[in-house]
Amino acid sequence: RGEEPVTPIQSELFALQDKKYRDFHAGLLPTVPKETIIGIRKPAIRGYARKLAGTPEAASFMRTLPHEYFDENDLHGMLINEIKDYSEAVAALDAFLPYVDNWATCDQLSPGVFAKNHERLAADAYRWTEAEHTYTVRFGIGALMAHFLDGDFKPEYLRRVAEIRSEEYYIRMMQAWYFATALAKQREAALPYFSGGLRDEWVRKKAICKAIESRRVDDATKELLRGMR
């Protein structure tokens, strides 16, 4: 793999390259080989995605998997975020998620169309959490965290995330993040998971740490959590 663009889209991406940013970003992505990182700041790649979205070039690019560069995966995710039809967005995610190999690409996947389709999204989020692929599971937990801890919350969503059993670091960290966020938004429903409802002790302790560090959790609750460590 050389650091030279081959396709027209790669040429566009390399034109946006920031080598200092690449060196910094590579340190945050331990699972991604540095030579696959072009190094493009998020606003620049997001602007390019908006320009490219809906074109035949974008459709062709999204059919060509796997991509060569991390930044191509970033672009692919941002193109999915721009899709306005729910079924189309889910189909694009189902095609792309098996190729996601890092937390950053996974966590920036957030189609705007999800917000108005919660009824359908809940079932898809459950389906993603049942996958075998690490980042598909992580994405499913993230969808439940982003969309179902406010008005459309149900206690069963907490149970679903608690039931996920994995040795994968990036799944367990997302479980911990989910429960820390749930505690801030749905305190009464979430609190029992901190005192023993989470069977994975590593996840429970990490969730406690994250909740104690959170500005959204009140001091009295933090004191309670310290006693649960």
Side-chain angles (χ1 to χ4, degrees):
R1 178 189 275 112
E3 284 204 16
E4 290 297 326
V6 175
T7 69
I9 284 179
Q10 286 176 354
S11 294
E12 293 276 358
L13 292 174
F14 270 92
L16 300 170
Q17 184 179 50
D18 179 333
K19 289 188 175 178
K20 281 187 179 177
Y21 179 72
R22 177 192 63 188
D23 294 343
F24 162 75
H25 204 43
L28 303 176
L29 298 166
T31 64
V32 180
K34 185 176 177 179
E35 65 269 19
T36 69
I37 300 173
I38 298 171
I40 306 170
R41 293 179 182 274
K42 290 291 182 275
I45 201 163
R46 195 173 289 116
Y48 178 48
R50 284 177 180 151
K51 188 172 75 171
L52 193 64
T55 65
E57 290 81 6
S60 174
F61 169 75
M62 292 169 78
R63 285 193 298 271
T64 310
L65 287 163
H67 298 303
E68 189 172 355
Y69 293 99
F70 163 83
D71 309 73
E72 289 180 287
N73 282 331
D74 245 14
L75 175 63
H76 194 133
M78 290 179 186
L79 288 170
I80 292 174
N81 289 349
E82 295 292 320
I83 295 173
K84 302 293 188 273
D85 177 80
Y86 180 82
S87 297
E88 191 184 329
V90 168
L93 282 164
D94 285 339
F96 180 55
L97 281 168
Y99 295 95
V100 173
D101 61 359
N102 68 87
W103 66 266
T105 301
C106 178
D107 293 0
Q108 64 105 25
L109 284 167
S110 182
V113 72
F114 277 8
K116 293 180 180 176
N117 288 274
H118 280 186
E119 210 166 279
R120 297 167 72 185
L121 177 59
D124 282 314
Y126 267 42
R127 179 171 61 80
W128 289 319
T129 64
E130 291 165 356
E132 291 186 10
H133 177 243
T134 296
Y135 294 100
T136 304
V137 177
R138 183 179 171 98
F139 177 72
I141 298 169
L144 289 172
M145 181 171 75
H147 294 277
F148 297 99
L149 286 176
D150 294 299
D152 288 334
F153 171 74
K154 293 178 185 174
E156 69 184 66
Y157 300 143
L158 295 171
R159 288 196 296 274
R160 173 68 208 122
V161 177
E163 284 166 1
I164 296 167
R165 306 292 282 171
S166 175
E167 293 303 313
E168 291 286 346
Y169 174 81
Y170 288 101
I171 290 176
R172 297 166 96 192
M173 279 299 286
M174 183 57 94
Q175 286 175 287
W177 184 12
Y178 173 87
F179 276 99
T181 306
L183 187 67
K185 293 190 170 194
Q186 300 289 343
R187 183 185 183 277
E188 299 312 312
L191 195 57
Y193 288 89
F194 287 81
S195 59
L198 277 167
R199 289 177 296 163
D200 186 324
E201 188 63 6
W202 188 93
V203 171
R204 190 183 76 84
K205 287 186 172 175
K206 189 62 72 173
I208 288 173
C209 286
K210 284 184 170 292
I212 289 172
E213 290 167 4
S214 172
R215 292 179 182 175
R216 294 187 291 180
V217 176
D218 64 85
D219 290 342
T221 302
K222 288 181 182 181
E223 201 52 48
L224 200 58
L225 292 174
R226 289 187 183 100
M228 294 177 184
R229 278 175 160 166

